[in-house]
Amino acid sequence: MDVFEDARRLMFQNRRVTDGNEYTVPSGEHYPYQWLWDSCFHAIVLAGFDPEYGKNEIRSLLSRQFKNGMVPHIIYWVPGALHQFNWGVEGTSSITQPPMLAYAVEQLHRTSPDTGFLEEVYPALASYYKFLIEKRDPLGRNLIAIINPDESGEDNSPRFDAPLGVMPSISYGDHLELRKKLAERNGPRVATVESTAPHTFWVFDVLFNAVLVENLRALRNIAHSIKHEEGERYAKTHSDLIRKAMRESLWHNNTYWSLNGENDKPLMTYTWAQFVMPLFAGLYSQEEAESVVKGELMNPESFYGEWGLRTVSKKELSYQSDSYASDGFSWRGPSWMVPHWFMYRGLMRYGFHAEADKIRDKSVRLLENAGFRECFNPESGIGHGAHGFTWGALILDMQNNQFSDQANNDKNVLTSF
Ligand code: GLC
């Protein structure tokens, strides 16, 4: 059995073309549309063996960008599709997802240099990041707010229980209803913090802001490649400002915690994103990174499960190894491939090569054991949720040494504040 070959095959199986728009569905049976950050991961994987398709996937994603710059988190390409994942606005959802777009475009350009493609997509990318910076920073403190848990990509993570006002025991179905209502309240007008009145949910999320810092770094490189000096300056300025604001407002007791925008309270739940995402975005000093990697991420009593990274620390009361409900997935403990990939990249960035190898090997073992499932029990390795789920294909990227070297070249970690 060759899971790498299976991964490539799955990427072909999940390809779709609607009205000339090419994209990849995360799972044919379960997720038959185009999702924002999934498409970015697809492009990162495709960069390794089919960059032209990766470029088209990005083009399809950008083709439904809103006038105000927002890129929606789902495009319901299939006519008549039920919008069971949040309410839509003319064929799309009305919220966004972690902005991995510039990173994906940069990755495509690395493996298949194409300045024409950069020039083509740059205006759309720039307007998306400008939207986030201008419309999602309600207090002008250089921290970007999400207005629905789904915008974090971790739809039912327990770190959002307090801002949602729910108990950890809430059922998957009730939780989903609540999130849909939130999206519905935004209505067809879309999804700026100003338009979300009264505010019922806004969170300065570590995952989203870390992704933004790293993507503004990528956007700056793209602007540089096409000699767009003003764009280069803008991306650098805001990447620095957000990085600094994260340290000033989100950093307590040696950890970055997401912040509830309603009451300014840190959301002190031990979820993977609090620890992995600053590693991915280079927000730790080397010493801090070492302490997080040893003390939390590679610690079997915290995040490091026998079969995979727990998305919630074992120390948390809300940790559930097997919380995949019959009707849904869960970010309350099970392992997912995207956190593995972010961790792999973060470990490489800080030079933890042996640990990075371990995460890659765990990922391969999980897929060999359970197949390309949506998520996995970190204690038993049993797979849950969707079948034929594309996130497992990220092992192709983890396997590719070229990218590892690149991660090293990008080493640009925090040295001081
Ligand atoms: C689930 C995940 C989300 C992903 C979507 C499609 O909702 O939580 O992050 O984008 O599935 O794969």
Side-chain angles (χ1 to χ4, degrees):
M1 170 182 196
D2 180 353
V3 277
F4 294 98
E5 201 38 54
D6 291 349
R8 266 186 287 270
R9 200 172 312 124
L10 180 62
M11 291 302 295
F12 286 114
Q13 263 166 18
N14 286 15
R15 281 188 176 185
R16 301 287 182 274
V17 184
T18 310
D19 298 334
N21 295 288
E22 298 181 341
Y23 57 101
T24 311
V25 297
S27 155
E29 51 166 27
H30 228 90
Y31 297 109
Y33 316 121
Q34 182 173 18
W35 265 261
L36 194 166
W37 80 334
D38 299 68
S39 276
C40 297
F41 299 127
H42 297 155
I44 288 165
V45 168
L46 291 166
F49 65 95
D50 192 353
E52 289 311 313
Y53 197 90
K55 288 177 203 170
N56 286 345
E57 177 130 10
I58 297 291
R59 287 184 177 108
S60 302
L61 189 59
L62 291 173
S63 71
R64 292 303 184 97
Q65 180 168 31
F66 290 17
K67 283 204 182 71
N68 67 3
M70 197 188 85
V71 179
H73 99 295
I74 308 175
I75 303 176
Y76 308 103
W77 285 114
V78 190
L82 287 177
H83 297 184
Q84 68 258 50
F85 302 97
N86 292 308
W87 273 260
V89 196
E90 291 170 14
T92 74
S93 80
S94 59
I95 57 172
T96 193
Q97 247 188 347
M100 284 294 291
L101 263 155
Y103 195 96
V105 168
E106 185 191 40
Q107 177 95 31
L108 284 164
H109 185 65
R110 267 183 195 149
T111 54
S112 148
D114 180 352
T115 313
F117 177 65
L118 297 186
E119 274 163 358
E120 174 193 335
V121 295
Y122 178 77
L125 294 188
S127 102
Y128 178 42
Y129 291 100
K130 198 156 178 256
F131 161 82
L132 294 173
I133 288 163
E134 291 183 355
K135 299 292 181 197
R136 288 300 189 85
D137 182 11
L139 302 179
R141 61 199 279 190
N142 298 312
L143 287 174
I144 308 310
I146 57 170
I147 57 173
N148 193 301
D150 290 58
E151 291 200 318
S152 75
E154 280 187 86
D155 316 346
N156 71 344
S157 169
R159 72 175 177 279
F160 303 123
D161 285 354
L164 280 174
V166 303
M167 299 299 284
S169 53
I170 186 170
S171 74
Y172 175 82
D174 289 349
H175 200 281
L176 180 61
E177 277 314 304
L178 211 65
R179 291 173 1 238
K180 282 177 162 185
K181 284 215 177 79
L182 259 184
E184 198 181 29
R185 214 170 295 148
N186 295 333
R189 287 169 311 132
V190 171
T192 62
V193 174
E194 294 105 309
S195 74
T196 317
H199 294 316
T200 45
F201 181 99
W202 50 298
V203 168
F204 299 113
D205 196 39
V206 170
L207 189 159
F208 201 95
N209 282 277
V211 163
L212 195 50
V213 168
E214 182 58 7
N215 275 263
L216 287 171
R217 181 205 52 72
L219 187 68
R220 180 188 174 200
N221 275 350
I222 295 169
H224 180 77
S225 303
I226 59 170
K227 303 190 174 41
H228 195 309
E229 282 173 23
E230 197 195 320
E232 216 182 318
R233 253 194 318 276
Y234 182 85
K236 162 133 181 54
T237 303
H238 286 282
S239 179
D240 288 350
L241 285 172
I242 298 167
R243 170 191 278 259
K244 189 157 174 277
M246 287 181 77
R247 181 57 73 134
E248 279 166 8
S249 304
L250 306 185
W251 177 255
H252 309 280
N253 304 335
N254 292 325
T255 303
Y256 286 96
W257 301 104
S258 298
L259 195 67
N260 188 349
E262 284 290 276
N263 56 18
D264 220 30
K265 285 205 176 131
L267 301 169
M268 291 189 156
T269 313
Y270 278 75
T271 60
W272 71 279
Q274 315 300 133
F275 300 90
V276 170
M277 294 312 292
L279 201 66
F280 170 75
L283 303 180
Y284 294 129
S285 66
Q286 190 67 31
E287 206 182 12
E288 289 161 358
E290 258 168 54
S291 140
V292 161
V293 170
K294 278 207 192 97
E296 301 293 344
L297 296 176
M298 303 299 287
N299 176 358
E301 295 311 313
S302 188
F303 287 101
Y304 200 62
E306 162 71 22
W307 283 85
L309 186 77
R310 302 180 183 107
T311 42
V312 174
S313 166
K314 209 175 160 185
K315 297 187 222 172
E316 281 289 341
L317 285 178
S318 56
Y319 172 65
Q320 297 166 18
S321 60
D322 217 4
S323 55
Y324 194 97
S326 55
D327 57 348
F329 56 84
S330 178
W331 287 93
R332 290 179 176 265
S335 303
W336 295 65
M337 282 296 161
V338 154
H340 278 204
W341 177 81
F342 276 122
M343 182 158 158
Y344 179 82
R345 285 273 170 137
L347 289 168
M348 292 302 291
R349 181 172 195 153
Y350 279 87
F352 297 109
H353 294 172
E355 289 80 358
D357 285 352
K358 283 187 183 159
I359 275 295
R360 190 196 52 220
D361 292 350
K362 265 194 198 303
S363 308
V364 170
R365 187 167 156 243
L366 260 180
L367 297 171
E368 282 171 353
N369 181 61
F372 287 72
R373 300 299 299 274
E374 187 173 0
C375 57
F376 309 85
N377 182 323
E379 320 304 335
S380 67
I382 290 173
H384 290 297
H387 292 260
F389 195 60
T390 50
W391 288 16
L394 284 166
I395 54 164
L396 290 168
D397 183 66
M398 294 188 221
Q399 186 70 352
N400 195 330
N401 287 327
Q402 184 188 339
F403 298 140
S404 313
D405 291 339
Q406 192 56 54
N408 276 333
N409 294 342
D410 278 350
K411 197 163 180 206
N412 166 28
V413 303
L414 185 65
T415 45
S416 64
F417 262 100

